[in-house]
Amino acid sequence: MTEVIDGEAVAADVRAGVADCVDTLADAGVTPGLATVLMSDDPASETYVSMKQRDCEEVGIEGIHVDVDADASAATLFETIDELNGRDDVHGVLVQLPVPAHVDRREVLRRIDPEKDVDGFHPENVGRLVAGDARYKPCTPHGVQKLLAAYDVETDGADAVVIGRSDIVGKPMANLLVQKGPGGNATTTVCHSHTSDLESKLADADIVVAAAGIPEFVDGSMITSGATVIDVGINRVDADTDRGYELVGDVAYDSVADVAGAITPVPGGVGPMTRAMLLYNTVKAAGRQHDVDVDLP
Ligand code: NAD
């Protein structure tokens, strides 16, 4: 029987643990605060930010939101970030990506105080992750690591293949899997758009993390029997629904479920974990900034 990895349930456990951390912080007189900054008119980005704000409210994190006009100058965005960096009631600062083309994304990431960089994208935090001394692990790969642990999927000594090498998913995912220590110690292969013969790389994989952004890219014929398949992809495809589209992953679910030992669904797999790990990083940040020990889930 293929095990369906329930991201909603694991994320609910993480949120409950985060709520306990919020109580610990409250006992020390601290209310954790997450600031989101949106410089975009993209409806999807607006939805992501409002979901993050709702998630905060649910666990007792103070949500602060700032809209920056999509036509404003980069300097205006940087001033907003500087102001949030300086606020004592703001422990995490997140700029929703993508930013408009006239703004240098890398400069934005560098501008955020690394102690408040709860996305984990600042070069200092990327460096610490690679060095095996992570401050804030990026939310999506960290969520995947938590899912694997929750379902007792052994990474130690496993052959893992990550499909995708983006800065937010593929690269940090590979870094986490390859690190020495719990949730790591996997022999990790990173595949990308220039990989030749992806099938041969997948043939022996015990763990596959699919993050290519291509609908139903991985099918059952590419997976070895009993493998754990984690589907990070969220792709909109046209469909005869009220919304005119449906969300599908990077994995052809039915065909892979016939072969895999365990699989994450889309939706209900990695997505809820990404959201929960942002809350985790925010209470971690508040604890660090006020020298309060929080018992992270
Ligand atoms: P991206 O477009 O930045 O990166 C995609 C990667 O896939 C690239 O590194 C590219 O080299 C690789 N790729 C493309 N074609 C390939 C091929 N034929 N073979 C092998 N590799 C190939 O995307 P991203 O930001 O990393 O996101 C990946 C997917 O995950 C998207 O569907 C995105 O929507 C989704 N996502 C989901 C969550 C979540 O919470 N579940 C979070 C972030 C991203």
Side-chain angles (χ1 to χ4, degrees), residues 11 52 139-141 143-144 232 269-279:
K52 288 169 188 176
C139 301
T140 300
V144 171
V232 178
V270 176
M273 292 303 295
T274 297
R275 292 168 63 178
M277 299 324 289
L278 177 64
L279 307 175

Side-chain angles (χ1 to χ4, degrees), residues 76 94 129 147 165 181 266:
T76 306
L94 177 158
L129 176 78
L147 279 182
R165 59 172 165 187
V266 176

Side-chain angles (χ1 to χ4, degrees), residues 55-289:
D55 291 343
C56 284
E57 199 178 321
E58 197 188 306
V59 294
I61 293 173
E62 184 73 29
I64 298 117
H65 179 67
V66 183
D67 277 311
V68 176
D69 197 292
D71 297 326
S73 65
T76 306
L77 175 62
F78 297 152
E79 277 164 28
T80 303
I81 295 171
D82 292 347
E83 197 240 313
L84 294 167
N85 282 342
R87 272 175 65 166
D88 290 339
D89 61 333
V90 170
H91 305 100
V93 177
L94 177 158
V95 177
Q96 184 66 40
L97 298 175
V99 285
H102 67 277
V103 179
D104 181 345
R105 182 181 62 94
R106 288 183 192 278
E107 217 176 313
V108 173
L109 301 181
R110 278 198 300 269
R111 195 79 179 204
I112 297 169
D113 179 346
E115 273 295 345
K116 299 193 175 186
D117 169 39
V118 286
D119 262 339
F121 297 158
H122 187 287
E124 181 180 318
N125 287 323
V126 175
R128 288 183 63 139
L129 176 78
V130 174
D133 180 28
R135 183 189 273 136
Y136 304 118
K137 295 180 184 177
C139 301
T140 300
H142 193 189
V144 171
Q145 203 178 34
K146 286 273 178 203
L147 279 182
L148 294 173
Y151 279 81
D152 294 322
V153 177
E154 187 58 86
T155 56
D156 196 322
D159 287 323
V161 173
V162 178
I163 308 175
R165 59 172 165 187
S166 72
D167 292 340
I168 63 167
V169 186
K171 277 191 233 166
M173 185 74 252
N175 268 305
L176 289 177
L177 287 167
V178 85
Q179 288 299 340
K180 205 173 204 172
N185 291 334
T187 304
T188 306
T189 305
V190 184
C191 296
H192 47 76
S193 51
H194 290 238
T195 296
S196 61
D197 197 8
L198 176 68
E199 282 75 7
S200 74
K201 313 289 187 286
L202 288 171
D204 293 324
D206 305 305
I207 299 170
V208 177
V209 181
I214 305 172
E216 304 189 323
F217 180 56
V218 177
D219 70 39
S221 70
M222 300 158 85
I223 298 294
T224 191
S225 174
T228 298
V229 180
I230 305 290
D231 190 353
V232 178
I234 302 178
N235 309 290
R236 271 187 191 199
V237 295
D238 293 341
D240 193 13
T241 63
D242 288 348
R243 299 183 294 186
Y245 66 88
E246 64 179 358
L247 296 179
V248 300
D250 285 359
V251 171
Y253 186 88
D254 291 337
S255 109
V256 171
D258 279 345
V259 188
I263 184 169
T264 59
V266 176
V270 176
M273 292 303 295
T274 297
R275 292 168 63 178
M277 299 324 289
L278 177 64
L279 307 175
Y280 174 109
N281 278 351
T282 303
V283 291
K284 185 176 187 185
R288 287 176 63 94
Q289 287 160 46

